[in-house]
Amino acid sequence: MLHVIGLGLGDATDITVKGLEIIRMSDRVYLESYTSILSIDLKDLERFYGCSILEADRELVENNADEILPKDEKENVAFLVVGDPFGATTHSDLILRARAKNIKVKVIHNCSILTAIGCSGLQLYRFGETVSIPYWSIDWQPNSFYDKIISNRRRDLHTLCLLDIKIKEPTIESISKKKREYMPTRFMSVSEAVTQLLKIMEEKMEENKEEMVLLNKSSLAIGLARIGWDNQRIVACSLEKMASTDLGPPLHSLIIPATNLHPLESEFMSLYMYE
Amino acid sequence: MLHVIGLGLGDATDITVKGLEIIRMSDRVYLESYTSILSIDLKDLERFYGCSILEADRELVENNADEILPKDEKENVAFLVVGDPFGATTHSDLILRARAKNIKVKVIHNCSILTAIGCSGLQLYRFGETVSIPYWSIDWQPNSFYDKIISNRRRDLHTLCLLDIKIKEPTIESISKKKREYMPTRFMSVSEAVTQLLKIMEEKMEENKEEMVLLNKSSLAIGLARIGWDNQRIVACSLEKMASTDLGPPLHSLIIPATNLHPLESEFMSLYMYE
């Protein structure tokens, strides 16, 4: 059987009791290591689980997934994912491959950044579509996330912005070559994300005055760092101020709240307000 | 300290290792018992945790929350919530009350139905605003959830519909009386929810032909029952067919997917398709 197990967001003890029991009886254990990170490293996980763990990078999961799948009916494989197993598209694909081979699949859920952001005090049912903010390069500066934020604000909804992560990503030049070369590991900070957003807003400002009323540099933003870790940090301030605010080590996420907050939400915000 | 601990969706072993350690060292343990249910009862939880658990109904949490909070700095209180602690507004309120009294609060996250629905194969970042479908009475038949579903479909987004739960809710007649009387416990089924939705669609049909193209009785719906339980069930079929489909015991949830599915999403759907 293939067991796809969420690890939660913090350290080794954020796994569920059910998930831990399955890991301990599995024949092979993989850790998906390219869409997120925990506060501890592989060695600490191995010590806590009492077994050795194989690292599964993007190349293995997306191009050689069959290597991961159980060889026969008796073999149990645990595939560990930071957060909840369904946070990233790539794991749906692994599950479909298993099902196509008639391999049984069991999913052990855990918390995801998509709901853990509830600790900001913003009501989860008031979030609209989630957006991703990618690192810009000189010739690729997509801005569709801006339109989605505006669309959510028009309907008085919050927007969660997931920030880019680059772990072991091949350089564009090396993709067609035999020998892969990798970009340096990078995690987008809240300040980098807001700086890109402000740049788009500046360009749009001239075309569309109405949107400027909806979202401008004085609008409230919430920066979240290391959610679920012991040293998590939440800061609320204007977009302008957020662009120069350092929230420390990764992972970071950003929320652009709705224009109108409920009284309970405002009360929470005052806990995080950064003057 | 007040520890607000998510229990996940299934049974006793869905708690995190971290959460279990805290329960076992707490002086008092409460289970919030009115916004969701687990697959097991209080006695089984007590046996697994090795401690006794106090039930916290709506009246205690919303009107007598101070009873729950730690009496002094040394006391540890664990407040257990099915799913993730931030699924319901009522728990934000408890946390704010604690903070106002300078009581430290620690949150232990867990999975929530809001992300566990990823097991349907629909991509979580393609969900728009979540809606709640309430039980109708003779003189109260709100239909705002319909407008939100339409608004999500216009932007090609999925909609998760959370279905009404009535646990120990006072009858309207008894609210002003000293002696409270309670409504019978009810959990809305997917078939009941879809029946209400079809009724609204029929009324709207005459006013608005364009909306009928966006959503009609042939549109795809996904019924989810007991997500995270050993006997979870997922069924995909037309709204018309779903109205007469019995998914068994509670809890149920409903998804109205976007009109266009991604290839990976369609492949998943075929696993659940009910002819």
Side-chain angles (χ1 to χ4, degrees):
Chain A
M1 196 187 274
L2 173 68
H3 306 269
V4 187
I5 303 174
L7 299 188
L9 300 172
D11 59 36
T13 63
D14 284 306
I15 192 165
T16 63
V17 173
K18 191 181 276 176
L20 185 58
E21 283 170 1
I22 294 172
I23 289 177
R24 288 186 172 158
M25 66 100 197
S26 286
D27 302 299
R28 278 184 291 147
V29 179
Y30 288 90
L31 173 67
E32 184 270 272
S33 61
Y34 61 98
T35 61
S36 190
I37 53 168
L38 287 173
S39 66
I40 52 165
D41 65 18
L42 198 73
K43 285 275 163 269
D44 294 318
L45 274 186
E46 287 184 328
R47 206 169 301 130
F48 185 77
Y49 298 155
C51 67
S52 59
I53 300 173
L54 303 158
E55 259 191 283
D57 61 14
R58 188 186 292 275
E59 217 162 306
L60 178 65
V61 178
E62 295 187 359
N63 301 332
N64 300 300
D66 289 350
E67 262 183 48
I68 296 170
L69 299 179
K71 301 276 172 282
D72 55 44
E73 271 182 33
K74 284 180 200 155
E75 199 187 22
N76 282 292
V77 173
F79 184 79
L80 314 184
V81 180
V82 176
D84 187 71
F86 289 101
T89 327
T90 179
H91 312 129
S92 306
D93 183 61
L94 186 72
I95 290 169
L96 284 172
R97 279 167 189 274
R99 294 290 295 256
K101 290 189 164 190
N102 272 323
I103 294 166
K104 283 191 187 156
V105 179
K106 197 176 163 89
V107 173
I108 307 295
H109 291 286
N110 209 314
C111 74
S112 159
I113 186 66
L114 296 173
T115 46
I117 50 162
C119 64
S120 67
L122 296 177
Q123 298 299 322
L124 293 171
Y125 66 87
R126 292 194 65 208
F127 277 81
E129 189 180 0
T130 300
V131 308
S132 292
I133 303 190
Y135 272 118
W136 280 350
S137 61
I138 293 166
D139 49 4
W140 191 71
Q141 306 199 340
N143 61 12
S144 59
F145 60 88
Y146 167 83
D147 298 322
K148 289 180 182 172
I149 294 171
I150 291 290
S151 161
N152 284 337
R153 270 176 96 81
R154 266 192 224 291
R155 284 164 304 118
D156 212 23
L157 298 175
H158 312 309
T159 309
L160 167 64
C161 309
L162 300 174
L163 309 188
D164 206 357
I165 292 175
K166 299 257 181 248
I167 302 179
K168 222 182 158 186
E169 291 233 346
T171 59
I172 291 167
E173 303 79 42
S174 81
I175 281 176
S176 55
K177 293 179 189 165
K178 260 197 177 163
K179 193 176 172 300
R180 288 279 165 89
E181 281 165 6
Y182 299 98
M183 296 184 205
T185 296
R186 286 170 83 190
F187 303 97
M188 186 183 280
S189 69
V190 160
S191 130
E192 289 174 309
V194 169
T195 304
Q196 286 190 185
L197 179 58
L198 286 171
K199 209 170 156 194
I200 300 171
M201 283 160 59
E202 209 167 291
E203 283 164 15
K204 297 267 177 175
M205 204 166 68
E206 284 160 32
E207 313 166 14
N208 198 325
K209 291 255 156 64
E210 183 248 341
E211 284 182 6
M212 226 186 79
V213 178
L214 266 177
L215 186 70
N216 54 60
K217 61 188 184 181
S218 308
S219 301
L220 184 67
I222 301 168
L224 306 103
R226 302 172 302 283
I227 293 301
W229 297 27
D230 286 337
N231 60 350
Q232 86 174 26
R233 214 177 141 203
I234 302 175
V235 165
C237 62
S238 71
L239 277 171
E240 191 174 26
K241 191 163 186 96
M242 195 67 87
S244 58
T245 299
D246 179 9
L247 294 180
L251 294 177
H252 291 189
S253 309
L254 172 70
I255 298 173
I256 310 295
T259 316
N260 300 301
L261 298 182
H262 289 176
L264 267 180
E265 292 179 322
S266 302
E267 213 178 321
F268 250 100
M269 277 315 99
S270 64
L271 298 176
Y272 304 124
M273 203 58 92
Y274 176 67
E275 301 300 342
Chain B
M1 196 187 272
L2 173 68
H3 307 268
V4 187
I5 303 173
L7 299 186
L9 300 172
D11 60 37
T13 64
D14 284 306
I15 192 166
T16 63
V17 173
K18 192 179 277 175
L20 185 58
E21 282 170 2
I22 294 173
I23 289 176
R24 289 186 172 158
M25 66 98 195
S26 286
D27 302 299
R28 279 182 290 146
V29 179
Y30 289 90
L31 173 67
E32 184 271 271
S33 62
Y34 61 96
T35 61
S36 190
I37 52 168
L38 287 172
S39 66
I40 52 166
D41 65 18
L42 197 72
K43 285 273 163 269
D44 294 318
L45 274 187
E46 287 184 327
R47 208 168 300 130
F48 185 76
Y49 298 154
C51 67
S52 59
I53 300 173
L54 303 157
E55 260 191 284
D57 60 16
R58 189 185 292 273
E59 218 162 307
L60 178 65
V61 179
E62 297 187 357
N63 301 331
N64 301 300
D66 289 349
E67 264 183 49
I68 296 171
L69 299 180
K71 301 276 172 282
D72 54 43
E73 270 182 31
K74 284 182 200 154
E75 199 186 21
N76 282 293
V77 173
F79 184 79
L80 315 182
V81 180
V82 176
D84 187 71
F86 288 102
T89 327
T90 179
H91 311 128
S92 306
D93 183 61
L94 186 71
I95 291 169
L96 284 172
R97 279 167 188 272
R99 295 289 295 257
K101 292 189 164 193
N102 273 321
I103 295 167
K104 284 193 185 154
V105 179
K106 198 179 162 89
V107 172
I108 307 295
H109 291 287
N110 208 315
C111 75
S112 158
I113 186 68
L114 297 173
T115 46
I117 51 164
C119 65
S120 67
L122 297 177
Q123 297 300 320
L124 292 172
Y125 65 86
R126 292 195 65 209
F127 277 80
E129 188 180 1
T130 301
V131 306
S132 292
I133 303 189
Y135 272 118
W136 280 351
S137 61
I138 293 168
D139 49 4
W140 191 72
Q141 306 200 339
N143 62 13
S144 59
F145 60 88
Y146 167 85
D147 297 322
K148 290 179 181 172
I149 294 170
I150 291 290
S151 162
N152 283 337
R153 271 176 95 82
R154 267 192 225 291
R155 285 163 303 120
D156 212 22
L157 298 174
H158 313 308
T159 309
L160 167 63
C161 310
L162 299 174
L163 310 187
D164 206 357
I165 292 175
K166 298 257 181 248
I167 302 177
K168 221 180 157 189
E169 293 235 347
T171 58
I172 293 169
E173 303 78 42
S174 81
I175 282 178
S176 55
K177 292 181 190 165
K178 261 197 178 166
K179 196 178 169 294
R180 287 280 164 88
E181 281 165 5
Y182 298 98
M183 297 184 204
T185 296
R186 287 168 84 188
F187 303 97
M188 186 184 278
S189 69
V190 159
S191 131
E192 288 173 311
V194 169
T195 304
Q196 286 189 186
L197 179 60
L198 286 171
K199 210 171 154 192
I200 299 171
M201 284 159 59
E202 210 168 290
E203 282 163 15
K204 297 268 179 177
M205 203 167 68
E206 284 159 34
E207 313 163 14
N208 198 326
K209 291 254 156 65
E210 183 247 342
E211 285 183 4
M212 225 187 78
V213 178
L214 268 177
L215 186 71
N216 54 59
K217 61 187 183 181
S218 308
S219 302
L220 184 67
I222 301 169
L224 306 103
R226 302 172 301 284
I227 292 303
W229 296 25
D230 287 336
N231 61 353
Q232 86 173 29
R233 214 178 141 202
I234 301 174
V235 165
C237 62
S238 71
L239 277 171
E240 190 174 25
K241 192 165 186 95
M242 195 66 88
S244 58
T245 299
D246 179 8
L247 294 181
L251 293 177
H252 290 189
S253 309
L254 172 70
I255 297 173
I256 310 295
T259 315
N260 300 301
L261 298 182
H262 289 175
L264 267 179
E265 292 179 322
S266 301
E267 212 178 320
F268 250 99
M269 278 312 100
S270 64
L271 298 175
Y272 304 123
M273 205 56 95
Y274 176 68
E275 304 297 347

